[in-house]
Amino acid sequence: MDLALPDILKLIHPIMAVTIVFPLIGIAVYMATQTRQRRLQVAHQDKSKIPPSVGTEHVRVGRWLAIAVVGVELLGITRPMFNKIIQDQARGNSSTSVILILLMYVVAIGSLVCLLRARPKVWRATFATLSGAAIIVLSLQPGIFRRDNGQLFQGEWYVSHWYLGVTVTMLMIFSIAIVPDIYQDRTNRWRLIHIVLNCVAVLLFIGQGMTGTRDLLEIPLSWQESHVYQCDFVNKKCPEPPAPK
Ligand code: HEM
Ligand code: HEM
């Protein structure tokens, strides 16, 4: 394996997604179905063989899953964002303020940490909004590929790794924010909201698996770039190699 540094940097994000996030999704979903099964069995006065701790275990894994998804989202956007900043600075036309960007990372991560500790509703809402907003602002920075021809909701945005990734990250932050509400609500309204939104999240995760692997196939190795980027991507044609003499 002889990979150049730029190629290794591109691979860190998919490696983290595949080895950390996706196994956590498997565990969280398995425990979610167990939690529901146990709750329904107990509600119908049946004895359940599933231990009562399965609910808290699901939440414990769920919190780590949400943290890992935020981490992987930030990893996915950081390389292309800084690549663009460095390129712009080398050309002498740097428009983005690096200080402001770094501040956004502090807000995104700091608010997530506060959200994980907060109990009162107003603080949970505040930190979830702050963290989510900072992640969206960072994700919208130039240089990050969105598959939308540079304009929001244009082009092939509906099969875009970016749109699915940002949405699922917001759903994970929302899941952390409503944990106490799920427990306090006797009418199970928050529980139902949680189930519906996180079933959507599972579909989006599958979408991330599909769009991410497609993107791995599309992105050339750094030593192939100057050739591959000469191709016409709309008409799917590449320059013919010179005829052998
Ligand atoms: C793949 C993502 C997830 C799915 C599919 C999922 C689905 C579910 C399901 C089906 C239940 C059982 C509902 C019932 O009792 O009928 C549940 C419970 C719950 N989930 Fe999730 N969930 C996910 C991630 C998360 C995350 C990230 C958190 C927050 C950190 C979370 C927090 C909770 C809480 C607090 C409960 C109530 C547990 C209890 O009754 O003891 N979940 N979830
Ligand atoms: C929870 C799961 C994931 C989330 C939230 C996520 C999010 C993102 C985001 C927001 C970007 C930047 C936009 C873009 O370049 O498209 C990105 C880039 C990328 N993602 Fe993912 N992703 C996830 C899983 C995966 C998986 C499973 C793979 C492949 C196996 C993958 C492969 C890639 C690749 C190759 C890039 C481009 C990296 C670069 O240019 O440096 N992602 N991801």
Side-chain angles (χ1 to χ4, degrees):
M1 190 170 78
D2 184 17
L3 282 174
L5 182 66
D7 300 324
I8 294 172
L9 292 179
K10 276 184 194 164
L11 287 181
I12 294 174
H13 158 85
I15 289 171
M16 291 306 200
V18 169
T19 56
I20 297 176
V21 173
F22 279 76
L24 283 174
I25 295 172
I27 305 171
V29 171
Y30 175 70
M31 286 179 162
T33 54
Q34 294 278 91
T35 306
R36 181 166 176 80
Q37 214 180 333
R38 185 189 144 80
R39 194 175 59 79
L40 296 182
Q41 282 169 350
V42 171
H44 292 102
Q45 262 87 47
D46 286 342
K47 281 221 172 91
S48 177
K49 290 202 180 79
I50 301 165
S53 59
V54 71
T56 34
E57 288 292 307
H58 165 71
V59 186
R60 217 155 61 96
V61 176
R63 281 163 69 97
W64 279 112
L65 170 63
I67 295 167
V69 170
V70 171
V72 142
E73 164 76 21
L74 291 176
L75 270 181
I77 60 173
T78 300
R79 189 212 61 87
M81 188 198 309
F82 279 91
N83 192 39
K84 175 88 167 82
I85 291 173
I86 291 165
Q87 272 179 1
D88 283 354
Q89 280 184 345
R91 286 197 205 105
N93 55 353
S94 57
S95 52
T96 3
S97 156
V98 178
I99 306 280
L100 221 58
I101 297 273
L102 294 180
L103 199 72
M104 279 294 154
Y105 276 90
V106 174
V107 175
I109 297 166
S111 308
L112 183 71
V113 172
C114 295
L115 172 64
L116 287 161
R117 290 158 180 261
R119 290 288 303 174
K121 208 173 202 141
V122 55
W123 286 120
R124 284 186 279 126
T126 308
F127 290 129
T129 310
L130 272 178
S131 182
I135 291 171
I136 291 178
V137 169
L138 285 171
S139 301
L140 282 168
Q141 291 307 305
I144 302 165
F145 181 58
R146 299 201 302 256
R147 208 172 279 275
D148 63 1
N149 305 331
Q151 275 183 306
L152 287 176
F153 299 106
Q154 298 295 310
E156 292 187 316
W157 68 272
Y158 46 87
V159 283
S160 153
H161 193 67
W162 186 92
Y163 282 86
L164 303 185
V166 172
T167 312
V168 84
T169 308
M170 295 306 120
L171 288 178
M172 287 298 110
I173 293 176
F174 186 71
S175 287
I176 303 180
I178 65 165
V179 168
D181 300 308
I182 298 178
Y183 280 119
Q184 279 158 19
D185 179 14
R186 294 265 155 256
T187 63
N188 279 343
R189 197 169 52 108
W190 283 105
R191 197 177 280 271
L192 194 68
I193 293 174
H194 172 72
I195 298 173
V196 171
L197 287 183
N198 278 11
C199 285
V200 174
V202 171
L203 294 178
L204 294 178
F205 281 132
I206 295 171
Q208 284 309 80
M210 289 160 66
T211 54
T213 42
R214 172 204 57 194
D215 291 355
L216 275 177
L217 198 60
E218 281 186 354
I219 300 168
L221 289 162
S222 53
W223 60 269
Q224 300 168 343
E225 273 176 8
S226 58
H227 291 274
V228 174
Y229 289 141
Q230 280 174 25
C231 296
D232 174 350
F233 283 80
V234 179
N235 298 312
K236 296 187 179 138
K237 274 223 165 309
C238 290
E240 290 297 328
K245 285 180 192 146

